Amino acid sequence: MRKILLFASITIVGLIFIFRLFYLQVYTAQNHNLFEDNAIKKVYDYPKRGFVYDRNGELLVANQPSYDVMFIPREVKPLDTLEFCSLLKIDKNRFKDIYQKAYHYSPWLPSVFIAHLSKEDYAVLQEKMRKFEGFYIQKRSLRLYQTTIGANVLGDLGEVNNAIIKEHPYYKMGDLIGKQGVEASYEDILRGKKGVKFIQKDRFNRDIGPYKDGVYDTLPEPGKDITISIDSKLQEFGELLMKHKRGGIIAIEPSSGEILAMVSAPSYNPNLLVGRNRSKNYTKMHYDTISKPLYDRSLLAQYPPGSPFKVLNALVGLQEGVVTTDDKFSCRMGYYYNGRRLTGCHSHPSPLSMNDGIAQSCNSYFCNVYRRIIEKYDDPAKGMNVWSNHIKSFGLGNYLGYDLKIGSKGYIPDGAFYDKWYGKGRWSSTYNISNAIGQGEVLATPIQLANMVAAIGNRGYFYTPHIIKNIEGDTIDENYTTPKYTTIDKENFEPVVQGMFDVYNKGTATYLRVPGIDICGKTGTAENYTKIDGVKTQLTDHSIFVAFAPKDNPKIAIAVFVENGYWGSRFAGKIASLMIEKYIKGHITRTDLEDWILSHSLEDEYAKPYSGKPFKINGETTLQVIPIDKSIKSKISNLSD
C-alpha cells in the first residue's frame, strides 16, 4: 500500500509540474504581451514614408535622414548634464522639462529627448553616446520638400500628442503624424507600418540579445507613393499672382473633379515646418493673427459670393418656370420696391433680358427673378425651401465631401431660418432680396464656387472635388468617380452658359478676353465689413470671379477671391484669365494683365483697419504699386515655358 501511495504521489507531483510548465511555456507565452513586458526592450524601425508627386509626375515631397535622441527614463544614470546639454544645444531647464514630461508619460517606455538632429550634430554626439546611459540614437526620415509652393496642399508632419496616442495606439510618444493637407488626409497610406525588434534584458538591465532569437521581430512596411491632382506649375503661377494679396484660388478639372490648383494667400515655404525649427516657425505663424498664413482661405474662408451667385438664380428661375430667356426687366440704377431702392446697380442699357442681365450683371434683373421664384408659392417659407434645395444641389451650404481634412459649410438659408428670424408668416421675398445678388445671408467658400461653376460647365453635374489622382497599388474612392447631379434640367443651362460667355464678349469682362480661348465667366463684388473699436465699419469690397473654359467640354473651372480687391474684374478677373491661359496654353500672351497684377499690392488696404486713420471706401489713391524686380520677371519667363 505504501509503495502504491508513494508512486501515486510522485505521479501527481510530476503531472502538476508538467501542467505548470505547459501553462508557463505554452499557454502563457501565447498570451504574453511583449509590448507590456518591462524585461524586453522595444526598438522601432521606422518605414520610408511614401513620396508625393504632382499630376505630371513631378516629385514634390521626398524624405531625408533624421536622427532622434531617445531615452528610457528609468534607465537614465547620473551624467554630466552640462556636457550633454552643450552637445544638444539646450539648457539645463529644458533637460529637466523633457525628462519629467517623458517620465510622466511612462518611465519604462522610450521617449524622444531631442528630435531631428542634423548629420553634423549626430556625428559629434554619436562618438560620446556611451557616456550617457539610458540614451540612444534612433534613425528615421523627415520630409524633404522639393518645392517652395503648395504648403496648404502638401501639409506637414508634427509630433503626436497624448490625445492622438490614446485614440490611435499605433503611435508612440515622439512619433510623427500628418497635420495638414495631403499628409493628414492620406496619413494611413503614406506612413507605412513600423517594424519592431524585441531585445531581451538581464536582471541588471543589460541587453543580452534578440528575444527568442528574433522570431517576433517584424520588418517595416514602406508607405505607398501617391500622385495628387495638383498641377505644380499652375499652383506656382497662382501663388505668384497672389503675392501681396489675400484670398484664395481653386481650379478644378470639370470632367473629373480633380483639383488643379489650391492657392491660399498669404502662404509660406513648407520647408519652414521641417526639422528642429518647426516649433518656433509654427508658433510665429500661428500667432500672426493679421495675415494668418496657416489659415487656408481656399477651403475655410466663407465669403458672400456676390454676383457669381446670380447665375444660380437664373437657373432656378428657368427650372421653376417663372422666367423665360426673353422676359425683360428695367433697371433705374438699382431695384426699387414701393418707391424705396433696395439695391443699387451700375449704369447699363435697360430693360434687359436674361442674356444681357448676366452679361451686364444687373442687380435689378435678378431681384425680379428672385421674387418670382419665392412668390410662386403661397407661403414664402415654402418658396424659400424650394429655392434653397435647388441651390444646395450645386454643393453650396454643406461640406462637399472632398478628401481634405478641413473645410467650411458656407450657408444657404431656408424658410425655417426666416420664420425663426422674423416670425412665421411675417416676412416676404423683399425681406431677403439681397440673396438675389449673392449678399444677405448667403456664404460660400472658394472651393464651393469652383465646384458650382464646374457643374455649370458640365451642364448639370459635377464630381466631388478631390486632391488624390493615384495611389500606388490601389484605387481611389469611388465617391470621387461618381457624378452628382443638380436639380436643374440640362436644357436650362445653355442660355446661362451663353450669358456667361457674353460676360467676356460684351459684358463686364470684355477687356479680360484671352485670344484663342472661349471663356465663360462672371464678375463679382461683395461688400466687406469688420469691427473697428466695436463699430461695424465697411472696408473695401472683395473682388470675385468665376469662370470655366473652353465653353464646350471645359478643361478648367476656377473661382478667385481677392480680399479688399475693389471689384470683380479688377483683381480676381485678371487672375482668373491668366490662370486659364496658363493651364490651357502653357504660356501667357496677356502680359499686360500679368504685369498689372504683379505690380499692384493690396497691403495698404489690409493695413487700413490697424492704422488708426480715417480712410475712403474703395479709394483709388491708396492702391500700392510695386516694381517688378528682375527675379520675378525671370520666374515668370520660366513658368511660361
Side-chain angles (χ1 to χ4, degrees):
M1 184 68 184
R2 290 180 178 179
K3 290 181 180 181
I4 295 174
L5 183 62
L6 179 62
F7 178 78
S9 299
I10 294 172
T11 302
I12 291 171
V13 170
L15 288 173
I16 290 173
F17 272 101
I18 290 171
F19 280 116
R20 181 59 178 169
L21 288 171
F22 175 84
Y23 176 80
L24 290 173
Q25 295 186 14
V26 180
Y27 180 79
T28 306
Q30 289 176 347
N31 295 279
H32 183 203
N33 189 335
L34 298 177
F35 291 94
E36 295 180 357
D37 191 334
N38 294 329
I40 299 174
K41 179 179 177 182
K42 279 71 67 176
V43 178
Y44 291 100
D45 191 358
Y46 287 86
K48 175 184 79 71
R49 196 170 176 89
F51 286 7
V52 180
Y53 298 86
D54 88 335
R55 67 185 297 108
N56 299 310
E58 182 175 337
L59 180 61
L60 300 178
V61 188
N63 298 311
Q64 59 181 317
S66 173
Y67 306 91
D68 295 346
V69 178
M70 308 291 296
F71 77 117
I72 300 173
R74 285 293 295 268
E75 296 183 8
V76 174
K77 298 295 189 292
L79 71 155
D80 186 338
T81 53
L82 291 178
E83 181 185 12
F84 191 65
C85 290
S86 175
L87 289 169
L88 295 179
K89 300 175 183 177
I90 61 173
D91 58 35
K92 195 171 182 178
N93 289 331
R94 178 86 188 280
F95 179 99
K96 292 179 180 178
D97 290 343
I98 297 171
Y99 181 88
Q100 290 171 359
K101 181 180 178 181
Y103 195 95
H104 178 73
Y105 166 66
S106 172
W108 299 104
L109 295 178
S111 290
V112 176
F113 192 85
I114 291 293
H116 317 320
L117 288 183
S118 66
K119 290 181 181 180
E120 294 76 18
D121 290 340
Y122 163 72
V124 173
L125 184 62
Q126 177 67 10
E127 295 180 358
K128 300 186 178 183
M129 281 302 292
R130 56 183 175 76
K131 299 169 62 176
F132 310 114
E133 289 189 52
F135 292 87
Y136 63 96
I137 294 178
Q138 178 173 273
K139 183 179 178 181
R140 73 166 80 198
S141 63
L142 284 184
R143 282 316 216 183
L144 176 63
Y145 294 97
Q146 306 288 325
T147 179
T148 60
I149 54 97
N152 65 312
V153 177
L154 301 173
D156 65 288
L157 303 181
E159 284 192 24
V160 296
N161 54 33
N162 287 330
I164 294 173
I165 294 172
K166 186 176 180 180
E167 185 177 355
H168 304 284
Y170 168 85
Y171 297 100
K172 307 301 177 186
M173 185 65 75
D175 281 0
L176 301 179
I177 190 173
K179 291 288 188 178
Q180 303 177 79
V182 296
E183 294 282 17
S185 297
Y186 291 94
E187 163 69 13
D188 292 347
I189 291 170
L190 289 168
R191 78 182 181 197
K193 187 176 181 181
K194 288 182 291 190
V196 61
K197 294 179 181 179
F198 297 98
I199 309 298
Q200 183 73 54
K201 296 157 71 174
D202 63 14
R203 63 192 183 93
F204 298 107
N205 210 31
R206 294 175 301 194
D207 294 350
I208 57 176
Y211 175 74
K212 298 286 187 181
D213 293 323
V215 69
Y216 296 110
D217 293 354
T218 59
L219 294 173
E221 297 178 14
K224 294 180 179 179
D225 296 343
I226 65 172
T227 299
I228 61 175
S229 59
I230 293 294
D231 183 315
S232 58
K233 295 297 183 187
L234 187 67
Q235 177 80 19
E236 185 176 13
F237 187 57
E239 292 190 13
L240 187 63
L241 296 176
M242 288 295 289
K243 199 172 180 65
H244 304 297
K245 306 164 190 72
R246 296 179 191 168
I249 303 172
I250 291 282
I252 293 174
E253 183 179 63
S255 62
S256 66
E258 293 176 357
I259 300 172
L260 302 172
M262 192 172 83
V263 176
S264 178
S267 187
Y268 59 93
N269 186 332
N271 290 289
L272 290 175
L273 297 185
V274 176
R276 293 185 68 176
N277 290 324
R278 181 192 186 279
S279 179
K280 180 180 69 175
N281 292 332
Y282 181 88
T283 301
K284 182 179 179 181
M285 290 189 284
H286 176 75
Y287 286 105
D288 183 353
T289 57
I290 296 176
S291 60
K292 300 179 181 179
L294 294 175
Y295 181 69
D296 191 339
R297 288 169 166 86
S298 66
L299 300 178
L300 292 170
Q302 300 178 104
Y303 304 96
S307 292
F309 193 76
K310 294 174 181 176
V311 297
L312 290 189
N313 280 314
L315 288 167
V316 175
L318 290 171
Q319 184 68 26
E320 288 296 307
V322 298
V323 68
T324 70
T325 56
D326 296 325
D327 289 345
K328 292 186 177 182
F329 299 100
S330 62
C331 179
R332 295 178 291 135
M333 298 292 287
Y335 177 73
Y336 290 80
Y337 178 74
N338 287 341
R340 185 165 63 94
R341 192 171 82 164
L342 300 185
T343 67
C345 196
H346 58 278
S347 177
H348 57 70
S350 177
L352 302 96
S353 62
M354 180 173 289
N355 181 275
D356 289 333
I358 295 173
Q360 300 298 331
S361 196
C362 175
N363 287 345
S364 180
Y365 177 90
F366 288 98
C367 288
N368 279 287
V369 172
Y370 178 77
R371 286 196 63 193
R372 286 191 178 187
I373 296 168
I374 306 303
E375 294 171 6
K376 175 183 177 181
Y377 301 89
D378 294 336
D379 180 4
K382 184 178 180 181
M384 275 300 304
N385 288 338
V386 171
W387 174 86
S388 180
N389 289 335
H390 282 307
I391 300 299
K392 289 176 180 177
S393 75
F394 286 81
L396 277 71
N398 212 329
Y399 299 110
L400 281 169
Y402 49 74
D403 56 340
L404 290 158
K405 290 286 188 180
I406 58 173
S408 297
K409 291 179 67 174
Y411 191 71
I412 301 297
D414 57 14
F417 174 85
Y418 292 110
D419 279 347
K420 184 178 180 180
W421 189 263
Y422 294 111
K424 189 172 179 61
R426 301 182 64 183
W427 58 277
S428 67
S429 60
T430 57
Y431 281 58
N432 47 51
I433 199 71
S434 292
N435 291 335
I437 58 174
Q439 297 275 176
E441 285 69 53
V442 177
L443 293 173
T445 61
I447 195 170
Q448 288 175 331
L449 282 196
N451 185 70
M452 175 199 82
V453 76
I456 295 172
N458 286 338
R459 278 64 166 178
Y461 68 91
F462 62 89
Y463 293 92
T464 300
H466 54 281
I467 203 80
I468 194 68
K469 186 172 179 67
N470 183 56
I471 300 172
E472 179 187 4
D474 206 345
T475 57
I476 67 172
D477 193 323
E478 65 179 11
N479 177 54
Y480 307 129
T481 58
T482 305
K484 281 78 176 174
Y485 289 87
T486 70
T487 57
I488 308 299
D489 295 335
K490 184 176 180 179
E491 58 268 21
N492 290 326
F493 283 89
E494 288 306 326
V496 172
V497 169
Q498 185 61 43
M500 294 177 70
F501 181 64
D502 285 338
V503 167
Y504 268 89
N505 290 303
K506 61 179 182 180
T508 53
T510 52
Y511 71 99
L512 302 179
R513 284 179 289 189
V514 177
I517 304 177
D518 291 336
I519 305 177
C520 300
K522 186 70 193 73
T523 53
T525 305
E527 292 183 343
N528 174 26
Y529 294 88
T530 192
K531 281 191 175 182
I532 300 177
D533 296 330
V535 178
K536 184 179 180 180
T537 305
Q538 186 174 11
L539 302 179
T540 302
D541 294 340
H542 295 319
S543 175
I544 310 166
F545 201 89
V546 300
F548 64 87
K551 179 183 176 186
D552 298 313
N553 300 315
K555 296 179 180 178
I556 181 172
I558 192 167
V560 181
F561 277 81
V562 180
E563 295 179 9
N564 305 48
Y566 294 79
W567 59 85
S569 61
R570 185 172 178 83
F571 278 93
K574 292 181 178 70
I575 291 171
S577 290
L578 289 168
M579 291 285 284
I580 288 171
E581 184 176 29
K582 175 66 179 173
Y583 183 68
I584 292 179
K585 290 184 176 181
H587 63 277
I588 299 299
T589 61
R590 288 299 308 268
T591 54
D592 57 321
L593 299 182
E594 185 179 58
D595 288 345
W596 193 93
I597 285 293
L598 293 173
S599 63
H600 285 76
S601 168
L602 287 168
E603 295 294 350
D604 283 354
E605 285 293 336
Y606 305 136
K608 284 179 178 179
Y610 311 99
S611 67
K613 301 177 183 178
F615 54 86
K616 297 179 181 179
I617 303 302
N618 294 338
E620 291 288 341
T621 56
T622 64
L623 189 63
Q624 183 181 3
V625 179
I626 57 175
I628 306 178
D629 61 38
K630 292 181 180 179
S631 63
I632 291 181
K633 272 292 190 181
S634 174
K635 195 166 193 177
I636 295 168
S637 177
N638 292 334
L639 285 172
S640 298
D641 289 339

